[in-house]
Amino acid sequence: MSVKQNLENIREKIKSTCEKVNRNESDITIIAVTKYVSNDRAKEAISAGVTHLGENRDEGFREKWATIQEAATWHFIGTLQTRKVKNIINEIDYIHSLDRLSLAKEINNRANSEVKCFVQVNVSQEDSKHGLNPNDVLTFMKDLHSYPNIKVVGLMTMAPFTDDEAIIRECFRSLKKLQLDVQALNLTYAPCTELSMGMSNDYTIAIEEGATFIRIGSALVGEDS
């Protein structure tokens, strides 16, 4: 199917989900995860109306940036190695994987202006996933005061890959609770108004639990083209 057809299906699901939980669908931003697709497929997403694109490798981002540049709002959604910050920092709009102070320091030192960041939290505490332990998030937030080029716009997590909806829902619900805890700190550099959670297989559950950014790859652009 075309990206446009996929997007229509996704938006219909977003609309019905928002109606179910009394949310406004305009509060949901779709990020097209384009890491497995060609530049042309990424451009197709933009033409269809999705202007937020997500990449998880600096090389993939640089390749697409060279062609698309400011036609998209760019999200770095993968684990970011400290030594590779310099390759993306002043072209990327959002970083979804801030999870350690060494990375915060490098972002702060390399950035020409304030960078919007999501702090990644390993809510499920799976060994295969990156991110902070939930118990460490509040302390981490306070420690970020030393880095004026970082603005924590929200939290990000990935739910376990399972068919058990209750497990997925609890993961997203826990991140929402943690968001409220961060907001209660009243940190000017960490308003934490956003939640980046939900992918192709679980974005409707994420929306029900408060997601504002959803990261959709295969259901929107496919995995190769």
Side-chain angles (χ1 to χ4, degrees):
M1 294 178 69
S2 69
V3 175
K4 184 177 180 180
Q5 289 172 304
N6 290 337
L7 180 59
E8 288 173 357
N9 292 336
I10 290 166
R11 282 184 168 156
E12 187 57 41
K13 289 182 180 178
I14 290 173
K15 181 181 179 182
S16 60
T17 302
C18 286
E19 288 173 350
K20 177 181 175 184
V21 294
N22 196 29
R23 293 192 64 193
N24 191 331
E25 59 189 290
S26 65
D27 293 337
I28 312 300
T29 299
I30 300 170
I31 302 169
V33 179
T34 53
K35 60 184 180 179
Y36 294 127
V37 302
S38 66
N39 290 350
D40 286 342
R41 190 70 164 174
K43 289 178 182 177
E44 188 182 341
I46 294 172
S47 296
V50 179
T51 57
H52 290 256
L53 303 185
E55 288 286 322
N56 74 331
R57 292 170 58 251
D58 65 311
E59 297 93 340
F61 166 70
R62 296 303 320 177
E63 179 187 341
K64 288 194 174 67
W65 165 260
T67 302
I68 297 169
Q69 298 192 14
E70 278 120 1
T73 298
W74 293 98
H75 298 253
F76 195 86
I77 59 174
T79 301
L80 182 56
Q81 294 177 306
T82 304
R83 64 186 175 87
K84 294 193 173 184
V85 168
K86 64 182 182 292
N87 299 336
I88 68 161
I89 191 60
N90 290 308
E91 285 80 41
I92 210 78
D93 296 292
Y94 291 84
I95 294 173
H96 289 241
S97 47
L98 177 58
D99 64 354
R100 58 198 187 279
L101 288 177
S102 59
L103 179 57
K105 180 180 180 181
E106 186 70 6
I107 291 170
N108 186 72
N109 291 344
R110 296 278 185 178
N112 293 334
S113 58
E114 189 177 74
V115 182
K116 296 174 183 175
C117 295
F118 288 85
V119 168
Q120 183 172 355
V121 186
N122 186 358
V123 176
S124 61
Q125 299 186 48
E126 295 173 271
D127 292 339
S128 60
K129 287 185 170 64
H130 293 270
L132 287 166
N133 183 299
N135 295 328
D136 296 332
V137 170
L138 297 185
T139 298
F140 182 74
M141 290 293 181
K142 294 173 185 176
D143 290 341
L144 291 176
H145 76 276
S146 302
Y147 307 108
N149 279 335
I150 288 179
K151 182 175 185 177
V152 179
V153 297
L155 303 178
M156 184 275 255
T157 199
M158 291 180 284
F161 192 75
T162 175
D163 292 328
D164 191 331
E165 184 178 311
I167 292 174
I168 297 170
R169 189 175 298 281
E170 182 55 34
C171 178
F172 294 150
R173 192 168 287 171
S174 296
L175 194 71
K176 176 64 180 180
K177 182 181 182 301
L178 197 53
Q179 178 198 27
L180 296 176
D181 292 340
V182 173
Q183 289 177 337
L185 295 175
N186 291 315
L187 302 172
T188 56
Y189 56 85
C192 206
T193 55
E194 312 297 335
L195 286 177
S196 172
M197 58 189 194
M199 299 189 290
S200 290
N201 61 313
D202 56 19
Y203 68 88
T204 57
I205 303 172
I207 290 170
E208 289 177 6
E209 297 302 332
T212 58
F213 284 78
I214 54 176
R215 312 178 303 271
I216 305 183
S218 58
L220 179 58
V221 295
E223 295 186 352
D224 56 44
S225 59

